[in-house]
Amino acid sequence: MRTKSIFMLLALLVVFMSGCIDQKKEIILDEPGNISNYEYEVFLDEWDNEIPANTTTYYILGDNTEVQVVQLVINSSKLEIFPPDSLGGGSNEDPIKNLVLLAEPANETVASSKTFMRLSNSSNVSDINYTLTQEISRNMKVINLEFEESVTGFIAYTLDTPGTQSFAFMKPDSEFIRVVLPEGFVTGNRIFGIARPEPHDTSFDEDGRQTLLWISSKMGAREEAIQVKYYAESAPMYFFAAIIALLFGVATVLSRYSRSKKELESVRDIFELEKEYEEKARRKKK
């Protein structure tokens, strides 16, 4: 009996270990990323001293099916990337694409605004060895980007999104987190959609795109996910115009109903008078 129990325990252990191994796989990108596809902004932590800060910026594309992510990293050897569908733990044959590395070994680079400006104007991707793997951890999809040594610079890539006007993602390991909405779209109206948790700052860039900013160190411990529901900038105007048109239509119907009711009452009064007159005439003949 004991031998059978030990055998079953070993079998379960083998199955469990096999499942863990199968959940992690290496990602091979066939083509190098296109540098010109991305925007490389140098976000500064201290403007007076021009000190850059670890920053992750999400640029949601206009078709709502992809998001471009640009991370400004300082002395990092590993990045955990959570695709927008990571909470579901679903599989995707192409979880990440168009990976661009504009970075240098951290021990050979000064993390200054001048360094990042130089890297942002580079025309060639950096020759840095890395490994890219995907795994399912706690029912969440995680893409691990690991370098042989710590690097400083820009890391850009593209992820698929559900194709709706709602973007949700796990909080990245960055001090500043930014979301840039497509041109012509905004958030902040409780009827049409808001961002949760509430961003620390909201502004518009030179292209008229609304930009949301969160500061990781000022977020609560439970605020592990960020969700942004956005809508066309003209949506509230059209919505209220439709409400006004609907109210006008209701008022018109009620007005016609009231008029028709009065006309019917008038006809009924005339009919009653005629009936009364006929009744009197009948009595006189008797």
Side-chain angles (χ1 to χ4, degrees):
M1 188 70 176
R2 179 181 294 179
T3 304
K4 185 177 180 181
S5 299
I6 294 174
F7 177 78
M8 292 179 63
L9 181 62
L10 290 174
L12 289 173
L13 183 61
V14 170
V15 172
F16 175 76
M17 293 297 294
S18 300
C20 292
I21 293 173
D22 291 339
Q23 282 185 336
K24 188 172 184 178
K25 65 178 181 179
E26 185 175 3
I27 300 174
I28 305 297
L29 300 179
D30 298 329
E31 299 179 358
N34 189 340
I35 296 177
S36 61
N37 282 2
Y38 298 104
E39 302 177 40
Y40 307 97
E41 295 184 66
V42 183
F43 201 79
L44 303 179
D45 188 1
E46 297 182 16
W47 290 90
D48 294 337
N49 299 324
E50 296 189 347
I51 299 177
N54 283 296
T55 306
T56 301
T57 304
Y58 299 87
Y59 297 90
I60 304 176
L61 301 187
D63 58 3
N64 302 318
T65 61
E66 291 182 337
V67 58
Q68 294 180 339
V69 187
V70 179
Q71 293 192 242
L72 188 157
V73 298
I74 300 174
N75 194 22
S76 298
S77 60
K78 179 181 178 180
L79 291 181
E80 287 186 334
I81 301 170
F82 295 91
D85 63 344
S86 60
L87 292 175
S91 61
N92 189 340
E93 295 181 357
D94 195 16
I96 185 172
K97 50 193 172 185
N98 198 18
L99 177 65
V100 172
L101 302 178
L102 296 177
E104 298 174 344
N107 58 3
E108 301 176 8
T109 305
V110 178
S112 64
S113 59
K114 291 182 180 179
T115 297
F116 283 98
M117 289 300 295
R118 174 174 56 80
L119 290 172
S120 67
N121 293 318
S122 177
S123 57
N124 297 311
V125 295
S126 304
D127 185 16
I128 297 177
N129 293 325
Y130 68 91
T131 57
L132 199 60
T133 57
Q134 175 181 308
E135 64 178 329
I136 305 298
S137 176
R138 292 175 298 176
N139 200 35
M140 291 189 298
K141 182 190 300 179
V142 183
I143 299 173
N144 298 307
L145 176 60
E146 300 180 66
F147 303 97
E148 292 183 353
E149 57 183 324
S150 296
V151 300
T152 292
F154 291 102
I155 299 173
Y157 48 89
T158 300
L159 303 172
D160 289 331
T161 59
T164 62
Q165 292 176 8
S166 179
F167 178 55
F169 59 97
M170 296 297 294
K171 182 175 67 175
D173 186 19
S174 296
E175 174 61 11
F176 294 98
I177 305 164
R178 304 168 67 229
V179 172
V180 180
L181 299 180
E183 187 176 355
F185 289 85
V186 293
T187 187
N189 187 305
R190 293 193 173 275
I191 296 177
F192 298 96
I194 60 175
R196 294 184 177 180
E198 185 178 352
H200 292 85
D201 183 69
T202 302
S203 61
F204 288 86
D205 64 10
E206 296 178 354
D207 296 324
R209 298 174 301 182
Q210 189 176 35
T211 301
L212 314 176
L213 171 68
W214 289 265
I215 302 175
S216 184
S217 59
K218 295 184 180 181
M219 296 177 65
R222 295 184 178 180
E223 296 175 326
E224 292 295 332
I226 295 174
Q227 183 180 36
V228 181
K229 292 185 177 181
Y230 55 98
Y231 48 89
E233 196 170 5
S234 57
M237 179 183 67
Y238 285 121
F239 176 77
F240 289 117
I243 292 296
I244 292 174
L246 179 62
L247 292 175
F248 178 78
V250 170
T252 301
V253 171
L254 291 176
S255 176
R256 289 181 177 178
Y257 172 76
S258 178
R259 190 182 309 118
S260 299
K261 185 178 180 181
K262 289 180 179 179
E263 291 176 354
L264 289 173
E265 289 177 349
S266 299
V267 171
R268 187 183 64 183
D269 290 341
I270 293 173
F271 177 76
E272 291 292 337
L273 288 174
E274 290 180 350
K275 186 177 180 181
E276 185 179 349
Y277 177 78
E278 291 176 357
E279 186 68 22
K280 289 181 178 180
R282 194 179 299 110
R283 289 175 181 176
K284 287 180 179 181
K285 289 181 179 180
K286 290 181 180 181

